[in-house]
Amino acid sequence: MICVNCGVELEDGLVACPLCGMDQEKKDEKGIISDNYPSGIIRLQKEESRKYLWELSGIIAFSAIAICIVVDLLISRGMKWSLYAAISILETWIIATVIMISRRNVPIMLTGIILTILAALLAYDLVESGLEWFFPVGLPMTAGIFAAAGLVAFLCKISRYRGFNIIAAALVIVAGLCMLMEIALDRYIDGAADLRWSLIAATSIFPVAMIFAFFHYRMKKGKQLDSFFHV
Amino acid sequence: MQLSGKKSGEGTSGSPVREKGWLKLDNAAKLFPAIMSEDLTLVFRLTVTLKEPVKYSVLSKAVELTSRRFPYFSVSLGSGLFWNYLEMNEKLPRIQAEEEIPCTAFAVSRKSETLYRILARGRRISVEFMHILTDGSGALEYLKSLLYTYLQLAGKPVGDPGDIILPETPPSEEEYEDGYNKYFRKVPPPAKIVKAWHLPFRLSEKPRLSTVEAEVSVREVLEVSRRYKASLTEYFVSVYLYSLQEIFHTENKNRKRPVSRVLRVQVPVNMRTKFPCRTLRNFSLFVMPETDIRLGSYSFEEILRSVHYQLQLSTDVKQLSRFLSSNVSYEKLMLIRVLPLFIKKMAITAIYRGLASKRMTGIFTNPGAVNIPGWMHEHIDHFSLVPPPPNRWVKVSAGMISFGDRLMICFSNITRTRELERLVLKRLASDGVHVRILNNNLNNRKR
């Protein structure tokens, strides 16, 4: 029997080709094992290297946390600043882990990063004042920033031309974000929202956005940002 | 002759190389760990195409038997404090399916991998060796031994093996000695050479390497080269240089001051033919015939005459000794030896990028005619090779190998342009050589 993929002669009784893994009866290409090719071994090596790097980063991160806590205990006779340091280091390490695990799945990676950042903010608040500012300020502001970034990304994706129009839209979104931030801060500090600085920011940003929109739709339509800004 | 398979770990017990557990890199290989990358893989391929489809089970057995006979190839690359070294791992090479891109890099950081692999597809058996391990001559000895064992296990009537290394013979120390060090003697270094002109072609997208393979008749090419009163290598190097000159003139038509005007082709020389050395590790040096365009444009006959005398002079053993001496001297300097490996690597990378890689315009390798016993001929269609992927300055390298009347020429190219290949093959055709471009199917294979 000759393998339909590799063309080598296989002994009777062999169901799959030992070279490429192709099932000889079903002619199933899904069975092809990439590790049986030279480039597959290189991929394997890269994955192993990433794993070693991750393990090493874990050792460094947890050692750093331990050192901070021990120094804090020795100097301040308690855990004060070391908790903030520990949360920061842990947050960075978890984000690195999320990126490593889900680097081929962007939605899962972004969700993981967002949740880690929110969890870190919650932890800071718990350590500092026992849950005081996270829900009224931290959560809405962080969620607003992520939503704004998501909206810009979405516009980029659906736009036919990714030029100055995207910058114009991003500026309008930033103006809206400023207002959202002021509302959240005012309600937390004074108990009621009173829009002041965000309105000034928005009215300053708006004409700039209009100029970008004008540039895009009237003068440089179709100009791609990557070509304009390429280094 | 009875052969039997052995389990992993058996077979070379008692051989000095296995007891030692590691080997120093030879002089040529010492540079390679610093400059190798996923693009510049330093891997070359030798292929034998049989007249029948490869039998996987026979090949698998033959690889096991043959590889046990070459214990100094069952190594991985280790990193010491001062030098890289070869660490015996007693692993068999992987037998893999041939894929679209030849000469893929080896996973050198995986200690369980060897630095050579066997590939099979259809009627083809290929061996891909990393240059750290050996050169074309050493790899060809392995392939011949593998081929002999394969045919024997496949039940073909075998005859006299000639000078083929048989799996049941013990490996000798001579086979893995460092020829460079053995024949080193201090002589004045060669004259310094200026940077060469480089092909201006745009690099292709990654993975960059593609090949063009052509077949010509040895008899026809010999007739042509005799007509020019030149050897085969002299003729091909001249065609190469002449084609480079044509590209140079086309590209620099409108340019007033080109960077360099020296066209230079690197031609490896098998040092085993110069010294009584039997090593199967690297033992080659280079000669660099050149054409200096500053003196004007040359006719083909002028280039051929110049190449003839340049090759005659530079392949003289005394001249080659100067290169050998110069290369080995560096590794003997105590100041360099005690530098930590990472500093050595940085220095080698800088020197290679700054100067060494830019010394030549092209590379042309010719291991010559494959010499195997007559009874094996009836099972073999032809031999072919793929030269290592060239660096980003050289861009295209060429190699040829012959078997019987069939001469296979292969170009390894990392650019989008096939102009050099076109000009070289066109020149052969215009000299009356029938050129056949092969469909080696390399561009439409499934992964």
Side-chain angles (χ1 to χ4, degrees):
Chain A
M1 181 170 53
I2 304 282
C3 171
V4 288
N5 187 39
C6 305
V8 297
E9 193 177 321
L10 307 175
E11 260 186 348
D12 291 343
L14 273 174
V15 180
C17 171
L19 281 178
C20 65
M22 186 184 242
D23 191 315
Q24 300 300 307
E25 284 166 7
K26 295 178 194 160
K27 308 268 187 288
D28 181 12
E29 286 189 21
K30 285 178 193 160
I32 291 179
I33 308 161
S34 64
D35 290 358
N36 282 23
Y37 290 91
S39 56
I41 307 298
I42 289 288
R43 273 198 294 277
L44 209 63
Q45 176 181 252
K46 282 183 182 166
E47 274 165 29
E48 282 172 359
S49 302
R50 271 192 285 270
K51 202 174 153 211
Y52 293 144
L53 198 66
W54 176 75
E55 286 169 1
L56 189 67
S57 71
I59 292 170
I60 292 169
F62 285 99
S63 308
I65 290 172
I67 290 166
C68 287
I69 290 172
V70 169
V71 171
D72 200 14
L73 281 173
L74 286 174
I75 294 173
S76 331
R77 304 279 169 207
M79 281 169 46
K80 291 175 182 169
W81 58 265
S82 62
L83 282 175
Y84 296 99
I87 293 167
S88 308
I89 295 168
L90 199 62
E91 179 192 7
T92 313
W93 185 71
I94 292 173
I95 288 175
T97 307
V98 167
I99 292 171
M100 201 206 83
I101 293 171
S102 57
R103 63 183 194 288
R104 289 204 185 111
N105 193 333
V106 178
I108 288 182
M109 185 171 79
L110 289 176
T111 312
I113 291 171
I114 290 168
L115 289 178
T116 310
I117 291 171
L118 288 174
L121 287 173
L122 183 68
Y124 286 129
D125 193 17
L126 274 172
V127 167
E128 191 185 352
S129 47
L131 215 56
E132 193 186 314
W133 50 260
F134 177 73
F135 285 108
V137 186
L139 183 62
M141 278 169 75
T142 319
I145 291 169
F146 289 137
L151 197 55
V152 173
F154 177 70
L155 288 174
C156 269
K157 197 174 165 92
I158 60 165
S159 298
R160 201 168 147 208
Y161 296 113
R162 286 163 205 158
F164 291 123
N165 54 339
I166 297 294
I167 296 181
L171 286 171
V172 171
I173 290 167
V174 167
L177 186 64
C178 286
M179 289 201 260
L180 180 81
M181 285 166 104
E182 191 173 17
I183 291 170
L185 279 170
D186 280 0
R187 286 183 63 171
Y188 174 64
I189 297 165
D190 305 328
D194 178 20
L195 290 181
R196 295 176 74 86
W197 63 263
S198 63
L199 274 181
I200 298 169
T203 44
S204 311
I205 288 171
F206 195 69
V208 182
M210 286 301 103
I211 290 169
F212 275 114
F214 174 77
F215 257 112
H216 178 77
Y217 289 106
R218 297 293 297 160
M219 292 168 73
K220 291 180 182 285
K221 190 168 168 70
K223 188 107 179 166
Q224 301 282 351
L225 274 186
D226 51 358
S227 66
F228 189 75
F229 284 111
H230 89 273
V231 182
Chain B
M1 209 170 294
Q2 191 63 43
L3 293 176
S4 64
K6 287 167 188 163
K7 283 177 191 165
S8 177
E10 289 178 27
T12 57
S13 54
S15 85
V17 59
R18 189 164 175 253
E19 279 160 17
K20 194 178 175 195
W22 66 279
L23 288 168
K24 282 184 185 178
L25 292 184
D26 59 63
N27 178 258
K30 279 199 165 75
L31 307 176
F32 296 148
I35 59 172
M36 67 187 178
S37 67
E38 239 177 87
D39 281 340
L40 192 65
T41 61
L42 304 171
V43 175
F44 61 92
R45 175 188 287 188
L46 286 172
T47 300
V48 56
T49 304
L50 305 174
K51 289 189 174 159
E52 291 171 3
V54 174
K55 291 185 172 73
Y56 175 78
S57 55
V58 179
L59 177 66
S60 161
K61 197 82 182 158
V63 167
E64 188 183 336
L65 286 168
T66 312
S67 298
R68 297 265 171 239
R69 169 59 183 77
F70 296 82
Y72 35 86
F73 288 160
S74 291
V75 289
S76 59
L77 186 67
S79 297
L81 182 58
F82 301 110
W83 295 105
N84 286 104
Y85 59 92
L86 298 173
E87 199 172 355
M88 312 292 297
N89 62 10
E90 296 179 21
K91 297 284 178 189
L92 295 172
R94 283 178 184 269
I95 306 173
Q96 294 177 303
E98 212 180 294
E99 63 187 333
E100 191 183 331
I101 311 284
C103 304
T104 305
F106 280 91
V108 287
S109 62
R110 300 190 91 220
K111 299 297 167 206
S112 56
E113 301 288 332
T114 56
L115 302 176
Y116 71 118
R117 59 172 82 99
I118 317 296
L119 301 161
R121 180 171 288 269
R123 296 183 291 128
R124 296 155 58 90
I125 300 174
S126 304
V127 290
E128 285 188 346
F129 274 79
M130 195 164 189
H131 240 312
I132 286 178
L133 218 51
T134 184
D135 53 20
S137 182
L140 190 57
E141 287 305 318
Y142 175 88
L143 180 60
K144 280 156 68 175
S145 181
L146 175 65
L147 191 58
Y148 175 87
T149 314
Y150 175 86
L151 293 174
Q152 190 178 32
L153 291 174
K156 308 290 180 197
V158 295
D160 176 23
D163 60 357
I164 289 175
I165 297 170
L166 301 178
E168 56 271 31
T169 57
S172 75
E173 277 189 59
E174 282 178 309
E175 289 172 22
Y176 56 91
E177 69 184 2
D178 183 349
Y180 298 101
N181 266 298
K182 188 175 177 185
Y183 295 100
F184 165 77
R185 73 189 170 87
K186 190 79 185 144
V187 289
K192 282 187 180 161
I193 53 175
V194 295
K195 282 182 192 174
W197 177 76
H198 294 116
L199 292 167
F201 306 154
R202 274 186 76 183
L203 297 184
S204 48
E205 302 291 325
K206 286 188 179 184
R208 303 190 203 279
L209 185 69
S210 61
T211 59
V212 169
E213 208 178 352
E215 181 186 344
V216 295
S217 154
V218 173
R219 185 181 47 77
E220 284 180 13
V221 181
L222 278 176
E223 271 173 26
V224 173
S225 46
R226 276 191 203 119
R227 203 165 69 214
Y228 285 113
K229 297 186 177 62
S231 74
L232 205 92
T233 304
E234 286 164 5
Y235 172 68
F236 268 98
V237 171
S238 305
V239 171
Y240 201 129
L241 275 171
Y242 186 70
S243 308
L244 288 172
Q245 182 184 254
E246 279 191 53
I247 297 173
F248 177 89
H249 285 312
T250 315
E251 294 293 334
N252 291 293
K253 237 178 353 200
N254 302 319
R255 194 184 288 189
K256 284 179 186 163
R257 292 186 60 190
V259 183
S260 168
R261 287 174 175 238
V262 178
L263 311 179
R264 192 179 291 126
V265 177
Q266 187 185 65
V267 184
V269 178
N270 182 3
M271 295 300 285
R272 297 168 191 86
T273 59
K274 307 287 173 188
F275 294 105
C277 184
R278 287 182 53 221
T279 187
L280 294 183
R281 297 172 67 200
N282 283 305
F283 195 36
S284 351
L285 284 171
F286 307 103
V287 291
M288 300 231 195
E290 63 179 41
T291 301
D292 195 337
I293 311 284
R294 286 173 297 188
L295 310 177
S297 192
Y298 295 79
S299 69
F300 180 69
E301 286 73 15
E302 283 175 322
I303 289 182
L304 194 74
R305 198 162 53 238
S306 166
V307 166
H308 170 75
Y309 290 119
Q310 285 185 63
L311 285 180
Q312 292 284 321
L313 283 172
S314 52
T315 51
D316 173 62
V317 74
K318 288 193 174 62
Q319 286 299 325
L320 287 167
S321 294
R322 299 177 79 172
F323 285 97
L324 195 151
S325 165
S326 160
N327 292 351
V328 178
S329 297
Y330 287 113
E331 73 165 76
K332 288 198 176 290
L333 279 177
M334 188 47 83
L335 193 68
I336 288 177
R337 283 162 66 183
V338 297
L339 282 177
L341 180 61
F342 75 96
I343 295 179
K344 278 195 192 95
K345 277 190 171 179
M346 283 194 292
I348 292 169
T349 310
I351 292 167
Y352 179 77
R353 287 198 181 152
L355 188 68
S357 58
K358 296 176 186 168
R359 291 191 305 177
M360 59 277 189
T361 316
I363 298 172
F364 177 75
T365 176
N366 176 18
V370 181
N371 185 18
I372 49 170
W375 62 268
M376 289 170 86
H377 285 234
E378 64 177 292
H379 306 292
I380 294 162
D381 195 62
H382 65 272
F383 280 83
S384 50
L385 64 75
V386 179
N391 68 43
R392 55 189 304 119
W393 293 279
V394 172
K395 299 185 182 80
V396 187
S397 59
M400 66 183 198
I401 191 166
S402 69
F403 174 69
D405 188 44
R406 302 180 71 175
L407 178 73
M408 300 293 165
I409 307 165
C410 181
F411 295 89
S412 285
N413 191 326
I414 57 167
T415 73
R416 304 171 182 196
T417 316
R418 301 284 170 272
E419 186 61 7
L420 181 65
E421 290 89 322
R422 188 184 72 81
L423 287 170
V424 169
L425 299 177
K426 191 179 140 196
R427 175 76 214 186
L428 294 182
S430 69
D431 275 340
V433 178
H434 179 70
V435 179
R436 194 163 70 100
I437 307 268
L438 300 183
N439 172 16
N440 55 10
N441 238 357
L442 280 179
N443 294 324
N444 50 20
R445 282 184 187 166
K446 286 171 191 160
R447 175 66 43 101

